[in-house]
Amino acid sequence: MSHDGDGVRRIAVLRCNALGDYLMITPALAALRRAFPEAELTLLGGAWQADFLSGRPGPVDRVVVVPQVAGLAGQPGGTPQASALPEFLAEARAYRYDLAVQLHGGGAASNPLVRALGARRSIGLRADDAAPLDATVPYRYYQPEVFRYLEVVALVGADGPPEYPLLAVSDQEQAAAAELLPGDGPWVALHAGAGDPRRRWAAERFAAVATGLAAAGVRPVLVGSAADLPVSAEVRSHAGVAVHDLTGRTGLGTLAAVLGRCAVVVANDSGPLHLARAAGAATVGLYWCGNAINAAATVRTRHRPLLSWTVLCPVCGVDTSTAGFPHRPGEGCAHRPSFLGQIPVAEVLEEALDLVARAACGPQDVPSARWAPP
């Protein structure tokens, strides 16, 4: 499908889950915007996306909140009840989308949903057991996510770089961030939380990094949502220095502005790490090896993913690397210890200080502007 002369005026993109999940599709959204500059791009997402993206310049023009859909993994809080789904679909069909794009998993639940929108053409991901769309990319569990979604939009002639387009932050958010990070930097943000305990590096190791940063003349600051308050308090209790703590004190927009003011962000594989990349900060990301394949940054000038190669559960020894491989025995286990124990403090501190030094020398391969429409 060429994007020239096809009359594509309304595009719907399904991606209804969490912050990091959304940010990983933003290169694909930007590619769609470049390919179809006159089209209206609707994100079929969650309530948090409707709030966060409302009035924020970017590739998304409008957000429609998807009601609960049976089997649609990762739907966030604030989702309307399933009883609202018939009305949602009726309104979508009446809206007459020209193109519907499925960027929400292998398609078992998402492909029937996208087909039910009634768009003139549908594209997306497809696992072996999922319903077809007009054109699909085979879904295989291990693939860098940004390239997965760029591969999908390439079906309609859209392409672009894998880096996240810089997130627009308002003057108000910038001013709030300046108040929250007073005085001279450089600042390095630390995010010690993650929804899955297996993705959390130990709080005492974050504390050791904070101590090492302070000894090098760098100012550490803890960030995160209210859910991260306990782990941030644990980091402070282990640190040998006072650590500025903004955990639970920022909304997403202000957090993005805070992260953008930091020379480096050190974080587990979770939403704030992706937000830091979108805000233009350099990052040291802490990953279990399997997650790194899908979610780690692809460049090394400003992003330094560090990997733990633990594949056997530290509690019971079960192989946890079989996801996505149906012919390999085992489905992991129910234990949830940290899988990041192999990453030493020295590695994290070394990479963080190297990135701080690079930042002090001036911009390094940083996109020159915030989001601007084509």
Side-chain angles (χ1 to χ4, degrees):
M1 177 180 175
S2 167
H3 59 74
D4 293 324
D6 268 334
V8 174
R9 293 291 177 264
R10 290 179 174 177
I11 301 172
V13 177
L14 176 65
R15 186 67 169 171
C16 181
N17 38 20
L19 174 62
D21 300 311
Y22 166 71
L23 291 170
M24 285 190 285
I25 74 163
T26 55
L29 294 177
L32 285 170
R33 170 59 69 218
R34 283 187 293 270
F36 305 101
E38 302 302 320
E40 178 189 68
L41 199 158
T42 298
L43 177 68
L44 305 179
W48 79 263
Q49 290 160 311
D51 292 340
F52 181 57
L53 298 177
S54 177
R56 192 177 300 278
V60 173
D61 296 306
R62 63 195 285 264
V63 178
V64 175
V65 179
V66 181
Q68 291 178 10
V69 176
L72 191 66
Q75 287 192 265
T79 301
Q81 294 295 314
S83 59
L85 188 59
E87 181 180 359
F88 166 85
L89 291 173
E91 290 177 354
R93 288 190 289 267
Y95 207 70
R96 298 185 180 276
Y97 290 108
D98 298 297
L99 175 64
V101 185
Q102 192 281 96
L103 301 181
H104 193 113
S110 49
N111 282 5
L113 177 64
V114 164
R115 287 168 55 134
L117 299 173
R120 186 157 57 90
R121 185 169 175 82
S122 61
I123 64 172
L125 299 160
R126 187 188 181 194
D128 293 340
D129 59 350
L133 302 172
D134 292 318
T136 56
V137 168
Y139 179 87
R140 294 296 183 267
Y141 186 83
Y142 283 116
Q143 181 181 6
E145 297 284 333
V146 290
F147 288 114
R148 190 195 302 280
Y149 308 124
L150 286 169
E151 189 174 357
V152 171
V153 300
L155 294 170
V156 290
D159 59 21
E163 288 76 29
Y164 297 171
L166 279 175
L167 181 74
V169 293
S170 69
D171 291 344
Q172 182 180 6
E173 290 163 343
Q174 292 278 26
E179 289 187 9
L180 290 168
L181 295 179
D184 296 328
W187 291 92
V188 170
L190 307 175
H191 179 245
D196 187 334
R198 295 171 296 181
R199 297 186 183 193
R200 295 179 198 155
W201 202 43
E204 56 266 29
R205 297 194 186 186
F206 273 103
V209 169
T211 302
L213 290 171
V218 177
R219 305 180 70 182
V221 54
L222 289 160
V223 298
S225 69
D228 299 316
L229 285 167
V231 72
S232 288
E234 191 177 354
V235 173
R236 290 200 323 272
S237 72
H238 286 288
V241 294
V243 183
H244 194 48
D245 192 354
L246 299 182
T247 308
R249 296 176 57 191
T250 59
L252 277 183
T254 300
L255 177 58
V258 164
L259 297 174
R261 290 180 66 85
C262 292
V264 183
V265 177
V266 178
N268 298 320
D269 175 22
S270 60
L273 177 61
H274 293 276
L275 190 62
R277 287 166 57 185
T283 67
V284 178
L286 310 177
Y287 291 90
W288 176 68
C289 54
N291 296 137
I293 294 171
N294 286 43
T298 58
V299 297
R300 295 296 173 265
T301 305
R302 293 179 54 75
H303 302 297
R304 308 288 173 78
L306 295 176
L307 278 60
S308 178
W309 297 94
T310 302
V311 296
L312 303 180
C313 173
V315 176
C316 68
V318 164
D319 185 353
T320 63
S321 66
T322 58
F325 298 104
H327 300 294
R328 301 184 190 186
E331 296 182 357
C333 63
H335 299 124
R336 292 297 181 265
S338 172
F339 274 50
L340 303 187
Q342 193 182 36
I343 302 173
V345 170
E347 274 182 17
V348 177
L349 195 56
E350 182 178 282
E351 294 286 23
L353 290 175
D354 181 66
L355 289 169
V356 169
R358 292 178 67 86
C361 295
Q364 303 281 338
D365 297 341
V366 183
S368 59
R370 300 280 166 184
W371 168 263

Coordinates of all heavy atoms in Angstrom, one line a residue, residues 106 126-129 138-143 145 148 288 290-291 293-294 319-332:
G106 N 0.4 -10.0 19.9 CA 0.3 -11.0 18.8 C -1.0 -11.1 18.1 O -1.1 -11.7 17.0
R126 N 0.8 -10.4 13.9 CA 0.0 -11.6 13.9 C 0.8 -12.8 14.3 O 1.8 -13.2 13.7 CB -0.6 -11.9 12.5 CG -1.6 -13.0 12.5 CD -2.0 -13.5 11.1 NE -3.0 -14.6 11.2 CZ -3.4 -15.3 10.2 NH1 -2.8 -15.1 9.0 NH2 -4.2 -16.3 10.3
A127 N 0.4 -13.4 15.5 CA 0.9 -14.6 15.9 C 0.3 -15.7 15.1 O -0.8 -15.5 14.4 CB 0.7 -14.8 17.4
D128 N 0.8 -16.9 15.2 CA 0.3 -18.0 14.4 C -1.2 -18.3 14.6 O -1.9 -18.7 13.6 CB 1.1 -19.3 14.6 CG 2.6 -19.2 14.2 OD1 2.8 -18.3 13.3 OD2 3.4 -19.9 14.7
D129 N -1.7 -18.1 15.8 CA -3.1 -18.5 16.1 C -4.0 -17.3 16.0 O -5.2 -17.4 16.4 CB -3.2 -19.2 17.4 CG -2.7 -18.3 18.6 OD1 -2.1 -17.2 18.3 OD2 -2.9 -18.6 19.7
P138 N 4.7 -11.1 11.1 CA 4.7 -12.3 12.0 C 5.2 -11.8 13.4 O 6.2 -11.2 13.5 CB 5.7 -13.3 11.4 CG 5.8 -12.9 10.0 CD 5.6 -11.4 9.9
Y139 N 4.4 -12.2 14.4 CA 4.8 -11.8 15.8 C 5.6 -12.9 16.3 O 5.2 -14.1 16.4 CB 3.5 -11.6 16.7 CG 3.9 -11.3 18.1 CD1 4.1 -10.0 18.5 CD2 4.0 -12.3 19.0 CE1 4.4 -9.7 19.8 CE2 4.3 -12.0 20.4 CZ 4.5 -10.7 20.7 OH 4.8 -10.4 22.0
R140 N 6.8 -12.6 16.7 CA 7.7 -13.5 17.5 C 8.1 -12.7 18.7 O 8.5 -11.6 18.7 CB 8.9 -13.9 16.6 CG 8.6 -14.7 15.4 CD 8.0 -16.0 15.8 NE 7.7 -16.9 14.6 CZ 6.5 -17.0 14.0 NH1 5.5 -16.1 14.4 NH2 6.3 -17.8 13.0
Y141 N 8.2 -13.5 19.8 CA 8.3 -12.8 21.1 C 9.6 -11.9 21.2 O 9.5 -10.8 21.7 CB 8.4 -13.9 22.2 CG 8.4 -13.3 23.6 CD1 7.2 -13.0 24.3 CD2 9.6 -13.2 24.3 CE1 7.2 -12.5 25.5 CE2 9.6 -12.7 25.6 CZ 8.4 -12.3 26.2 OH 8.4 -11.8 27.5
Y142 N 10.7 -12.5 20.8 CA 11.9 -11.7 20.9 C 12.2 -10.9 19.6 O 12.6 -11.5 18.6 CB 13.1 -12.6 21.2 CG 13.1 -13.1 22.7 CD1 12.9 -14.4 23.0 CD2 13.3 -12.1 23.7 CE1 12.9 -14.8 24.4 CE2 13.2 -12.5 25.0 CZ 13.1 -13.9 25.3 OH 13.1 -14.2 26.7
Q143 N 12.0 -9.6 19.7 CA 12.3 -8.7 18.7 C 12.4 -7.3 19.3 O 11.5 -7.0 20.1 CB 11.3 -8.7 17.5 CG 11.7 -7.7 16.4 CD 10.6 -7.7 15.3 OE1 9.5 -8.3 15.4 NE2 10.8 -6.9 14.3
E145 N 11.4 -4.0 20.3 CA 10.0 -3.5 20.1 C 10.0 -2.3 19.1 O 9.0 -2.3 18.3 CB 9.5 -3.0 21.5 CG 9.3 -4.2 22.5 CD 8.1 -5.1 22.2 OE1 7.2 -4.6 21.6 OE2 8.2 -6.3 22.6
R148 N 10.0 -3.7 15.8 CA 8.8 -4.5 15.6 C 7.7 -3.6 15.0 O 7.0 -3.9 14.0 CB 8.3 -5.1 16.9 CG 7.2 -6.1 16.7 CD 6.5 -6.4 18.0 NE 7.3 -6.9 19.1 CZ 7.7 -8.2 19.2 NH1 7.4 -9.1 18.2 NH2 8.4 -8.6 20.2
W288 N 17.3 -7.5 32.7 CA 17.4 -8.9 32.5 C 17.7 -9.1 31.0 O 17.1 -8.4 30.2 CB 16.2 -9.6 33.0 CG 16.3 -11.1 32.7 CD1 17.1 -12.0 33.4 CD2 15.5 -11.8 31.8 NE1 16.9 -13.3 32.8 CE2 15.9 -13.2 31.9 CE3 14.5 -11.5 30.9 CZ2 15.4 -14.2 31.1 CZ3 14.0 -12.5 30.1 CH2 14.4 -13.9 30.2
G290 N 16.8 -11.1 28.7 CA 15.7 -11.3 27.7 C 14.9 -10.0 27.5 O 14.6 -9.7 26.3
N291 N 14.7 -9.2 28.5 CA 14.0 -7.9 28.4 C 14.9 -6.9 27.5 O 14.3 -6.1 26.8 CB 13.7 -7.3 29.7 CG 12.8 -8.1 30.6 OD1 12.9 -8.3 31.7 ND2 11.7 -8.6 29.9
I293 N 16.6 -7.6 25.0 CA 16.4 -7.8 23.5 C 15.3 -7.0 23.0 O 15.3 -6.4 22.0 CB 16.2 -9.3 23.3 CG1 17.4 -10.1 23.6 CG2 15.7 -9.5 21.8 CD1 17.2 -11.6 23.6
N294 N 14.2 -6.9 23.8 CA 13.0 -6.2 23.4 C 13.0 -4.7 23.6 O 12.5 -4.0 22.8 CB 11.8 -6.9 24.0 CG 11.4 -8.2 23.5 OD1 12.3 -9.0 23.2 ND2 10.1 -8.5 23.2
D319 N 14.5 -23.0 34.6 CA 14.8 -22.2 33.4 C 13.7 -21.2 33.1 O 12.6 -21.6 32.9 CB 15.1 -23.2 32.2 CG 15.5 -22.4 31.0 OD1 15.6 -21.2 31.0 OD2 15.9 -23.1 30.0
T320 N 14.0 -20.0 33.1 CA 13.0 -18.9 32.9 C 13.1 -18.3 31.5 O 12.5 -17.3 31.3 CB 13.1 -17.8 34.0 OG1 14.4 -17.2 33.8 CG2 13.0 -18.4 35.4
S321 N 13.9 -18.9 30.6 CA 14.1 -18.3 29.3 C 13.3 -18.9 28.2 O 13.6 -18.7 27.0 CB 15.6 -18.4 29.0 OG 16.0 -19.8 28.8
T322 N 12.2 -19.6 28.6 CA 11.5 -20.4 27.5 C 10.4 -19.6 26.9 O 9.7 -20.1 26.0 CB 11.0 -21.7 28.1 OG1 10.2 -21.4 29.3 CG2 12.1 -22.6 28.6
A323 N 10.0 -18.4 27.4 CA 8.9 -17.7 26.8 C 9.1 -17.4 25.3 O 10.2 -17.1 24.9 CB 8.8 -16.3 27.6
G324 N 8.0 -17.7 24.6 CA 8.1 -17.5 23.2 C 8.7 -18.7 22.4 O 8.7 -18.6 21.1
F325 N 9.0 -19.7 23.1 CA 9.6 -20.9 22.4 C 8.7 -22.1 22.8 O 9.1 -22.8 23.8 CB 11.0 -21.1 22.8 CG 11.9 -20.0 22.4 CD1 12.4 -19.1 23.3 CD2 12.3 -19.8 21.1 CE1 13.2 -18.0 23.0 CE2 13.2 -18.8 20.7 CZ 13.6 -17.9 21.6
P326 N 7.7 -22.4 22.0 CA 6.7 -23.5 22.5 C 7.3 -24.9 22.5 O 6.8 -25.8 23.2 CB 5.6 -23.4 21.4 CG 6.3 -22.7 20.2 CD 7.3 -21.8 20.8
H327 N 8.4 -25.1 21.8 CA 9.0 -26.5 21.8 C 10.0 -26.7 22.9 O 10.6 -27.7 23.0 CB 9.6 -26.8 20.5 CG 8.6 -26.7 19.3 ND1 7.6 -27.6 19.2 CD2 8.5 -25.8 18.3 CE1 6.9 -27.3 18.1 NE2 7.4 -26.2 17.6
R328 N 10.3 -25.6 23.7 CA 11.2 -25.8 24.8 C 10.4 -26.0 26.1 O 9.4 -25.3 26.4 CB 12.1 -24.5 25.0 CG 12.8 -24.2 23.7 CD 13.8 -23.0 23.9 NE 14.3 -22.6 22.6 CZ 15.3 -21.7 22.5 NH1 15.7 -21.0 23.5 NH2 15.7 -21.4 21.2
P329 N 10.8 -27.0 26.9 CA 10.0 -27.4 28.1 C 10.1 -26.3 29.2 O 11.1 -25.6 29.3 CB 10.6 -28.7 28.5 CG 12.1 -28.6 28.0 CD 12.0 -27.8 26.7
G330 N 9.0 -26.2 29.9 CA 9.0 -25.3 31.1 C 8.3 -24.0 30.9 O 8.3 -23.5 29.8
E331 N 7.7 -23.5 31.9 CA 7.0 -22.2 31.8 C 7.5 -21.3 33.0 O 6.7 -20.5 33.5 CB 5.5 -22.4 31.9 CG 4.9 -23.2 30.8 CD 3.4 -23.4 30.9 OE1 2.8 -22.9 31.9 OE2 2.8 -24.0 30.0
G332 N 8.7 -21.4 33.3 CA 9.2 -20.6 34.4 C 8.7 -21.1 35.8 O 8.3 -22.2 35.9

